[in-house]
Amino acid sequence: NAGVMQNPRHLVRRRGQEARLRCSPMKGHSHVYWYRQLPEEGLKFMVYLQKENIIDESGMPKERFSAEFPKEGPSILRIQQVVRGDSAAYFCASSHAPDSTNEKLFFGSGTQLSVL
Amino acid sequence: KQEVTQIPAALSVPEGENLVLNCSFTDSAIYNLQWFRQDPGKGLTSLLLIQSSQREQTSGRLNASLDKSSGRSTLYIAASQPGDSATYLCAVRRMTSGSRLTFGEGTQLTVNP
């Protein structure tokens, strides 16, 4: 039973390019969360998705960032026209029963994005 | 707005020592609190989850307590080992924020052999 899978592990982009980060949740999980960890800072919530729906995107920057979780395939976090300030570790997490007070999130190993 | 603070930011102890990591949060209306471990270059591993109605949870050498009214949680590690060296994060799930977690900035623990 594989855990949350993120790829790539490391992604290098030049300013102005696009970055696509992928996340496959744990088997049986249909709820995906994206968090960003900037250098020397804690994890910050970005977006919460269910299959084909964005539930909460209150932590996502209004411009250049988008996320999707299609019916088939992984969740994608897309950053257009990247800037140096986007350099960070991006973590994906998944859960099975978000309405339960006993809900646990399971995290992937993250994608380290470096913008040159 | 929920704020989560962890003290100390870094801690270095000799092997075998018992230690306590602290977490405080400003909004006591929480569903639960989780302690995670993060190793360099890796993801987060959930260690313990305490529901808002619980006072503590134990797993092996780890014990986490929760005092919701005062907005505090502690993670107690008994008989520390070099393999415990990692960053420890606490995160709260608020009642008004759906499933999102608010994280502290972590305590970086080093256990010296």
Side-chain angles (χ1 to χ4, degrees):
Chain A
N1 184 14
V4 178
M5 304 299 293
Q6 290 188 247
N7 67 82
R9 289 294 308 277
H10 302 278
L11 182 61
V12 180
R13 286 287 178 264
R14 297 190 181 280
R15 281 180 296 170
Q17 291 184 319
E18 177 179 290
R20 280 181 179 247
L21 289 64
R22 296 175 190 78
C23 169
S24 296
M26 283 184 70
K27 187 177 181 180
H29 287 188
S30 59
H31 302 266
V32 166
Y33 312 78
W34 285 93
Y35 287 81
R36 177 167 66 174
Q37 187 174 36
L38 292 165
E40 307 302 323
E41 293 187 17
L43 278 84
K44 303 287 189 224
F45 169 81
M46 298 182 75
V47 62
Y48 163 38
L49 310 102
Q50 293 179 30
K51 286 281 187 181
E52 300 184 276
N53 285 304
I54 297 175
I55 307 302
D56 179 358
E57 57 181 349
S58 57
M60 193 105 92
K62 300 297 182 194
E63 298 179 351
R64 303 188 297 108
F65 285 72
S66 63
E68 62 176 12
F69 189 17
K71 186 176 180 181
E72 302 291 337
S75 175
I76 306 288
L77 178 67
R78 182 182 176 205
I79 312 173
Q80 295 177 289
Q81 300 173 346
V82 296
V83 300
R84 289 211 174 114
D86 297 332
S87 296
Y90 291 81
F91 290 96
C92 170
S94 72
S95 71
H96 173 62
D99 294 329
S100 166
T101 58
N102 206 28
E103 174 207 21
K104 278 189 181 180
L105 290 192
F106 295 85
F107 281 78
S109 299
T111 293
Q112 181 66 52
L113 173 65
S114 298
V115 180
L116 304 179
Chain B
K1 179 186 174 183
Q2 177 73 277
E3 292 184 1
V4 180
T5 305
Q6 291 188 245
I7 296 173
L11 182 63
S12 181
V13 300
E15 182 177 3
E17 193 161 299
N18 302 325
L19 57 98
V20 174
L21 308 181
N22 297 290
C23 173
S24 61
F25 47 95
T26 54
D27 184 353
S28 61
I30 64 170
Y31 273 128
N32 58 49
L33 181 146
Q34 270 186 272
W35 282 93
F36 292 88
R37 170 186 172 138
Q38 183 177 23
D39 292 282
K42 296 188 178 179
L44 281 68
T45 301
S46 180
L47 298 173
L48 291 164
L49 182 149
I50 311 177
Q51 297 183 42
S52 61
S53 58
Q54 297 176 322
R55 299 281 300 184
E56 65 177 345
Q57 282 285 338
T58 298
S59 176
R61 294 181 294 107
L62 305 179
N63 175 276
S65 68
L66 174 65
D67 184 343
K68 202 174 70 164
S69 60
S70 67
R72 295 177 189 275
S73 176
T74 61
L75 179 67
Y76 175 83
I77 303 177
S80 57
Q81 303 171 357
D84 295 331
S85 298
T87 296
Y88 291 81
L89 300 164
C90 80
V92 299
R93 182 184 168 199
R94 295 170 60 196
M95 289 183 175
T96 56
S97 63
S99 298
R100 59 191 291 181
L101 297 181
T102 302
F103 282 84
E105 294 191 2
T107 293
Q108 186 173 355
L109 173 65
T110 303
V111 181
N112 301 300

